[in-house]
Amino acid sequence: MLSRTFQDVAARHGSGAQGLQSELIRPMLLWFAILVTSTLAFGISAVSGGGAGLILMPLLELVLPDMQVPAALSIGTATSSAARIISFHKAIRWDIVRHFAPTALPFSALGAWALSRMNPVYLSLLLGLFLVGNLPLLFRTPPIQPNRKQVRIASLHALGAAAGFISGFTGAIGLIFNGFYYQLGLRKEEIVATRAANEIMLHGLKLILYAAFGLMSIHVVIVGIAVAAAAILSSIIMRHLLPYLHDRLFHHIGHAAMVVAGLMMVITAGGQIARQNAAVLNYSHASGDLSASLSWQQHIFAVEWEHGNELELIHRVYIPSTNLPGTPIFHGFILHMSPHTGIQTVRSVGV
């Protein structure tokens, strides 16, 4: 199969050795980037308690359709969870795990079902904003010895339901629930081990559901195996490094990773939403007058500042014309505010 691939590429380029080399090197560099980034991402995930999936999403979207990214992520994260359970099995808090799974598993199935029927980009944007909201925690000094709090069963059930749905819908939950584990006063090894035990069943169930909903393919499996190999390598490395990491630095890295991952999610999801809705932002400044407008689907929203003391708010919506096929008409509304004429409103219709 590999020789046939080389023959196909050579046939397309003929004797052009430079073009052949270019087409072969580009995918190799992309796969190398996936392996290196995955290893670093899972290393950060081990330190911060999660987040590899959120970091890898933008990169995996270069080689997979958006709908298939969660499936490939689940292959890698399931492998990572298994490796961490083996490495830190003595630190698992089973009193948390046994109340987390009963609600997490059914809600994970619900999230995977929802993924097969709707675009997860809006939820990704909201989760990104939530993660960025942790920025103030970077400047807060955590206690030297965190206080252990009693585990509330109702809170664990709610956490399992939320984690299960978000995991099934986006393929990654790691950093989103970091705060919950911190509030329980768990040690860094307990966070890594307990999270892995909580999530490995979720990832296994999701893989079955993704296959059932038609979101799994050979290409997804290949990408997932590459991510899984990096996850195993990272777990081996972090098993020896984690005991030397101070708990206070561990918390700071976790909060920093939450903010960085949130920014990446906001930028990626925001760009996708803008493309899907044909969003265009315009701004102009001339002779003291200011104008800014936003196009969103068939709507145009505009703000104009004129003559130094007059404000106009404009909204136009374009709809297909029944009398003139192919020619849209617009319905407009203008709110004009001026110290000379007061407040005026105008409704308009035009082509």
Side-chain angles (χ1 to χ4, degrees):
M1 182 176 292
L2 183 61
S3 61
R4 187 179 304 169
T5 301
F6 277 90
Q7 292 172 3
D8 292 342
V9 174
R12 287 197 300 270
H13 290 278
S15 58
Q18 185 175 359
L20 173 61
Q21 184 181 16
S22 176
E23 183 162 341
L24 291 175
I25 289 177
R26 278 196 298 267
M28 290 175 62
L29 290 176
L30 181 58
W31 281 105
F32 179 75
I34 290 176
L35 289 172
V36 173
T37 305
S38 298
T39 302
L40 294 175
F42 281 110
I44 295 173
S45 174
V47 174
S48 64
L54 299 177
I55 295 173
L56 289 174
M57 276 183 182
L59 181 61
L60 295 185
E61 287 171 356
L62 299 176
V63 295
L64 288 173
D66 293 345
M67 301 287 284
Q68 294 182 338
V69 168
L73 277 177
S74 292
I75 296 175
T77 49
T79 305
S80 176
S81 295
R84 291 175 188 176
I85 289 174
I86 295 173
S87 299
F88 301 99
H89 64 278
K90 293 182 180 180
I92 296 176
R93 286 284 299 274
W94 292 109
D95 58 324
I96 295 176
V97 175
R98 68 170 177 264
H99 294 297
F100 178 93
T103 53
L105 293 176
F107 274 86
S108 177
L110 180 62
W113 172 84
L115 177 64
S116 67
R117 284 161 174 78
M118 64 186 72
N119 194 327
V121 65
Y122 290 98
L123 180 60
S124 295
L125 178 63
L126 292 176
L127 293 178
L129 293 173
F130 170 76
L131 290 173
V132 173
N134 289 277
L135 181 61
L137 297 179
L138 285 174
F139 307 100
R140 182 184 303 173
T141 302
I144 299 177
Q145 291 294 335
N147 297 323
R148 286 184 176 271
K149 298 182 180 180
Q150 185 178 1
V151 179
R152 300 176 59 182
I153 296 177
S155 298
L156 287 176
H157 289 165
L159 176 72
F165 181 82
I166 295 174
S167 179
F169 197 56
T170 66
I173 58 170
L175 293 168
I176 298 170
F177 299 100
N178 253 1
F180 174 83
Y181 290 98
Y182 292 159
Q183 290 175 7
L184 290 178
L186 302 184
R187 295 181 295 107
K188 56 182 180 293
E189 292 85 0
E190 290 177 332
I191 292 178
V192 173
T194 304
R195 186 190 299 275
N198 281 338
E199 295 180 359
I200 190 168
M201 292 180 289
L202 284 176
H203 296 312
L205 175 62
K206 287 188 301 179
L207 290 176
I208 297 173
L209 294 172
Y210 289 151
F213 294 142
L215 298 174
M216 194 75 69
S217 66
I218 296 297
H219 192 45
V220 170
V221 173
I222 293 174
V223 175
I225 291 175
V227 176
I232 294 174
L233 175 61
S234 178
S235 295
I236 294 173
I237 296 173
M238 295 311 301
R239 178 182 180 181
H240 300 285
L241 293 181
L242 192 60
Y244 298 99
L245 189 66
H246 194 279
D247 284 334
R248 183 175 295 179
L249 179 59
F250 177 84
H251 282 246
H252 277 304
I253 293 176
H255 290 139
M258 293 167 75
V259 174
V260 172
L263 288 173
M264 294 176 64
M265 290 182 69
V266 168
I267 294 173
T268 302
Q272 292 178 3
I273 292 173
R275 289 190 296 269
Q276 292 171 5
N277 294 278
V280 178
L281 184 65
N282 293 309
Y283 171 81
S284 63
H285 180 203
S287 302
D289 295 341
L290 302 175
S291 176
S293 65
L294 171 66
S295 299
W296 185 274
Q297 295 182 353
Q298 71 270 29
H299 297 269
I300 296 179
F301 305 90
V303 178
E304 296 182 359
W305 179 255
E306 303 172 337
H307 312 302
N309 57 6
E310 296 183 4
L311 178 66
E312 271 193 358
L313 304 178
I314 304 169
H315 173 232
R316 288 182 178 179
V317 54
Y318 288 85
I319 58 176
S321 173
T322 55
N323 298 325
L324 299 172
T327 303
I329 60 175
F330 72 85
H331 292 262
F333 175 80
I334 301 175
L335 175 63
H336 185 88
M337 292 177 284
S338 170
H340 306 293
T341 59
I343 299 176
Q344 298 176 321
T345 60
V346 179
R347 293 185 180 274
S348 59
V349 179
V351 178

